[in-house]
Amino acid sequence: MGVAPCHGGQWRRSPLEVGQTLEPIEAEGIPRRSERGASRLLARNAIGGLALNLANVAITTVTTILLAQMMGAAGFGVYSFVIATVTLLGIPAVLGIDRLVIRDIAVYSSTAVYGLAHGLLLRAQQMVLILSVVLALGTVVAAWIVAGGTPSTGLIAFWLGVVGLPFLALGRIVQGGLMGLHDILLGQAPEYILRPAVLLALVVVVAAAGAAIDPAGAVFFYSLSIAVACLVSVALLWVRTPREVREARPAYATRPWLMSAISLGFLSGSSVLNSQIGVALLGAMSGSEAAGLYAVAQRGALLVAFPLAAVSAAIGPMAARLWAAGERQQLQHLVTLGARGALLAALPLAFAYLAAGRQILDLFFGGEFAGANAALAILTVGQLVNAATGTVATLLVMTGHQRRAALAITAGALINLTVSGVLIPTLDTVGAALGAVASLTLANVVLVIIAYRTLGIQSIAFGPGAFRRRPT
């Protein structure tokens, strides 16, 4: 079992080192903030995160519209299928190490355990680079064998997407490092702003030149944008890492970190699977056109969840710090505040989708995509349920209960796979949407129960105990 140095030269066991469940501890090095100050910090980071999300939405929506119009439903479906597959490959490439970095760096840096903070930053990047490069090479060879050694437009597009895998994986680790150091907004900026902006710029240049773009070209631009964002993130992490961490002698707890990351990998993997399995199954079972329609509906519905994503990113490192400090009442207040804010911010767009989804799709994407209206409405309802349950998955991860969270979300992913696989042949995009919503609802209900029984924290926006008088 590992030990971590504390102030005054004394040593004690660190739960983070051994990859076990965190118990509340009196951490001398953790700066205590008043509840009002913590609420302001959460609000500032959440609002900033929401602004990043909105900017990302604006840029991504314009890019999606341009690509959909330039390539049509079938071409856009090939592009979406490749991106979904590469995103799924990111699961084993990252292996949950990104979430481990966010959580552990937040506590290590707050408790002045600088050697372990430095060691984790180095080891995480080393492990992910090795995993992602080996996986990318193996995937390229496997795709060549499956294709019978005959290059095609789809195969070339797939290869170009796989090239971006190491940059995707490393970028997530570096982003996790910045967020763990409480640079929440700076950590997200390359992924949310720079990457989509580079992609949009490349697409606009092609469109302005009057040239055509095929799926392979679009995927190449996507991989290039990932590489640019990754390199900028690496530079930002170097600049923003505190001098105490950079100059500390690296200390390693590789095995415990890896064991903890595996559980987080199941959690991240199941979450990504839930988001991508619909497109992947539709592409395989119903064709690229159906995959393209569903991809548009899914991206539209994800806008409803962006307030929750912003709150989750803001509350993650704070939750790890407050739980380690034993500030349970303050943590409850922040979780409730975050859930209410996420739900209220999600309602306007959700109502717009439910009332005029077909018109919105027709206006922005053209009549060819209006058929995704039913899937959009179903996915929107699912995202409202998601927002109402709050930041429960992030809460469990940041308090060291990632294994229980992983089981719940894995069960949800299996439900998604089963329901979608059964319904897609007859209901097409609607079947994929029903599978996604069934998965999301089941996983969230189980997570809420786990959080209450394990932590004594109620994560839902409006429910039993949510209106209790705020602790003073």
Side-chain angles (χ1 to χ4, degrees), residues 355-388:
R358 179 175 292 275
Q359 290 80 0
I360 292 173
L361 290 169
D362 187 26
L363 174 65
F364 287 101
F365 297 96
E368 187 179 9
F369 290 89
N373 175 52
L376 176 62
I378 295 169
L379 291 171
T380 296
V381 173
Q383 291 300 342
L384 282 178
V385 173
N386 190 28

Side-chain angles (χ1 to χ4, degrees), residues 17 27 85 121 150 154 282 320 327 334 404-405 455:
E17 283 184 74
T85 304
L121 287 174
T150 304
L282 281 167
E327 297 287 346
L334 291 179
R404 296 178 182 181
L455 308 177

